[in-house]
Amino acid sequence: MMRTRPLKVALLGCGVVGSEVARIMTTHADDLTARIGAPVELAGVAVRRPSKVREGIDPALITTDATALVKRGDIDVVIEVIGGIEPARTLITTAFEHGASVVSANKALLAEDGAALHAKAEEHGKDLYYEAAVAGAIPLVRPLRESLAGDKVNRVLGIVNGTTNFILDKMDSSGAGYSEALDEATALGYAEADPTADVEGFDAAAKAAILAGIAFHTRVRMGEVYREGLTEVTAADIASAKRMGCTVKLLAICERAADGKSVTARVHPAMIPLTHPLASVREAYNAVFVEAEAAGQLMFYGPGAGGAPTASAVLGDLVAVCRNKLNESTGPGESAYTRLPVSPMGDVVTRYHISLDVADKPGVLAQVATVFAEQGVSIDTVRQQGRPDSAGEASLVVVTHRAPDAALSGTVEALRKLDTVRGVASIMRVEGE
């Protein structure tokens, strides 16, 4: 039986995503009512600049007092799309305290303080949903939380930032350098005026923390995620990857240790074979590869950012939370029963692609090989080539077998001390095999 009294929704933030949420709630009102079993009503919109014209939104709904809005007591669901740590954290906890469930797209807050937010939601018997916090429109959080809840996930490997994927894709397809590709991404609106969060890997690290926590049923904070950005990736690195039959992607990688006693989470550029499904992810798209014991290999692909795609994920959560409200139930909360420690990057087993500038004379390769042997790192392939543009120098490219990252880093430092090594041109991990 259809309930006639509407469920009231408070919207915190009305920027690119928030305005799309409001638009879809209005244009798809009848469909949402049918899917939920009750009408939903936008009861208030908290913004910082009330004078800005917002098409399709009743000006009477606009307020600058977000705290008063979430404290009203008649609000059933709060949608938080303002981002950042504060005031978002305080507003969300206040919403729980005053009887509302929360739908959030705030990856930074969830990666930093997700455990406390889940605890507050459970204390008050409310929902905390956040599909939009990771990979935009791609259904990923709910499949990990619910569809794979009976399985054991061992690895999550993905491209979770559209800006960096666009930049690397342009470097690969056009031969452009990093700065040129970033300029194009900025001109097209894929990169912010300050792209630091994207290009230095902070955005991807927050998403990795969330994914690792859900996949492995343990608590992973953003500070525990190893992070490297792509600002040091060069056109030469891209060219080296092509010679190996690879491409370069900024990857978020979450893994359960082979013995099952720890997990790792990391974000860094890596070479992946062109045969890997992630290699074909182009432009600003996202894709996440999940490996589970029973389900096997699963891939989730689609637009990872933007107003409409992210709003789609928000509205999906809104429907689920409203259904729970009508059924007087809540959805799944935090699952952190395994309490697994997060291993440091030095313990992670990886492979390296190392490009060295060396003296072009006999015995250099033997010296380099000795360093690898002393560090306990096995060499997979090696290629040496003279450099006609630089008399007396050669390029030496070494690809290792898998070894602890600390041993590989130690190898690079030892190589730098050799008199015959003029410089380390590039270092990059190799993944996806």
Side-chain angles (χ1 to χ4, degrees):
M1 182 177 179
M2 182 72 68
R3 169 175 143 166
T4 57
R5 185 175 71 80
L7 293 161
K8 294 190 176 183
V9 178
L11 178 61
L12 307 182
C14 197
V16 173
V17 175
S19 59
E20 279 294 316
V21 169
R23 182 189 67 79
I24 295 172
M25 286 184 65
T26 301
T27 57
H28 295 181
D30 291 342
D31 286 335
L32 290 173
T33 297
R35 293 166 190 170
I36 291 169
V40 288
E41 173 189 314
L42 190 57
V45 182
V47 299
R48 287 183 294 180
R49 296 187 295 275
S51 60
K52 181 180 178 180
V53 176
R54 295 171 172 87
E55 290 187 19
I57 299 178
D58 183 352
L61 297 177
I62 301 297
T63 179
T64 57
D65 194 342
T67 301
L69 179 59
V70 300
K71 282 184 173 180
R72 273 178 37 174
D74 65 336
I75 300 296
D76 296 291
V77 183
V78 169
I79 297 176
E80 183 272 310
V81 289
I82 57 178
I85 304 300
E86 288 291 356
R89 173 167 47 201
T90 298
L91 291 170
I92 289 174
T93 56
T94 301
F96 291 141
E97 292 165 356
H98 287 78
S101 290
V102 173
V103 172
S104 176
N106 196 330
K107 52 189 170 286
L109 177 57
L110 288 159
E112 179 64 28
D113 215 18
L117 294 178
H118 275 293
K120 182 64 72 171
E122 184 176 358
E123 176 187 346
H124 294 280
K126 302 303 173 186
D127 276 322
L128 174 61
Y129 275 51
Y130 45 91
E131 183 67 66
V134 181
I138 304 172
L140 182 60
V141 171
R142 195 169 300 136
L144 285 173
R145 288 175 79 176
E146 300 177 31
S147 303
L148 294 174
D151 207 340
K152 182 180 180 182
V153 176
N154 291 317
R155 195 170 195 238
V156 179
L157 173 77
I159 298 164
V160 295
N161 182 274
T163 300
T164 53
N165 199 59
F166 180 88
I167 291 170
L168 289 170
D169 183 42
K170 288 304 171 184
M171 291 176 70
D172 181 83
S173 61
S174 69
Y178 165 75
S179 296
E180 297 169 87
L182 174 59
D183 288 344
E184 184 175 353
T186 304
L188 292 172
Y190 291 124
E192 301 286 346
D194 179 0
T196 302
D198 294 323
V199 300
E200 294 293 354
F202 290 101
D203 175 85
K207 295 169 181 176
I210 294 169
L211 291 174
I214 299 170
F216 307 133
H217 304 277
T218 196
R219 288 177 179 169
V220 180
R221 298 183 67 177
M222 183 172 170
E224 296 174 300
V225 179
Y226 175 83
R227 176 191 55 80
E228 285 181 23
L230 54 73
T231 55
E232 301 300 319
V233 177
T234 66
D237 293 327
I238 303 293
S240 291
K242 284 186 174 182
R243 285 193 290 270
M244 289 177 59
C246 293
T247 189
V248 178
K249 299 292 185 182
L250 186 77
L251 299 179
I253 305 169
C254 311
E255 294 177 301
R256 189 191 301 268
D259 62 7
K261 295 180 179 179
S262 65
V263 300
T264 61
R266 50 196 165 106
V267 169
H268 54 72
M271 295 181 179
I272 58 172
L274 294 175
T275 53
H276 194 281
L278 292 178
S280 61
V281 179
R282 308 295 301 275
E283 300 277 325
Y285 276 77
N286 284 192
V288 178
F289 204 69
V290 177
E291 299 176 9
E293 282 197 357
Q297 297 179 332
L298 308 171
M299 184 165 164
F300 301 83
Y301 170 85
T310 306
S312 171
V314 169
L315 268 295
D317 279 350
L318 177 64
V319 170
V321 169
C322 286
R323 286 171 175 170
N324 292 343
K325 177 78 173 181
L326 293 178
N327 293 329
E328 298 182 343
S329 64
T330 56
E334 183 189 34
S335 175
Y337 71 92
T338 62
R339 296 182 175 86
L340 295 173
V342 181
S343 295
M345 186 63 192
D347 293 344
V348 177
V349 176
T350 63
R351 297 181 68 202
Y352 270 28
H353 172 281
I354 305 169
S355 179
L356 304 171
D357 294 329
V358 300
D360 190 7
K361 62 182 184 180
V364 173
L365 181 57
Q367 288 184 342
V368 169
T370 298
V371 169
F372 278 87
E374 290 173 347
Q375 297 291 326
V377 175
S378 178
I379 294 175
D380 182 16
T381 62
V382 61
R383 183 179 73 252
Q384 184 172 350
Q385 183 175 353
R387 293 172 52 185
D389 60 322
S390 182
E393 288 192 4
S395 294
L396 185 65
V397 177
V398 179
V399 180
T400 73
H401 283 292
R402 290 169 63 83
D405 202 81
L408 291 163
S409 297
T411 301
V412 172
E413 291 308 307
L415 289 171
R416 294 184 194 274
K417 297 176 183 178
L418 290 178
D419 292 338
T420 51
V421 173
R422 307 292 167 77
V424 179
S426 71
I427 310 164
M428 192 170 294
R429 294 175 181 87
V430 182
E431 297 287 343
E433 296 179 306

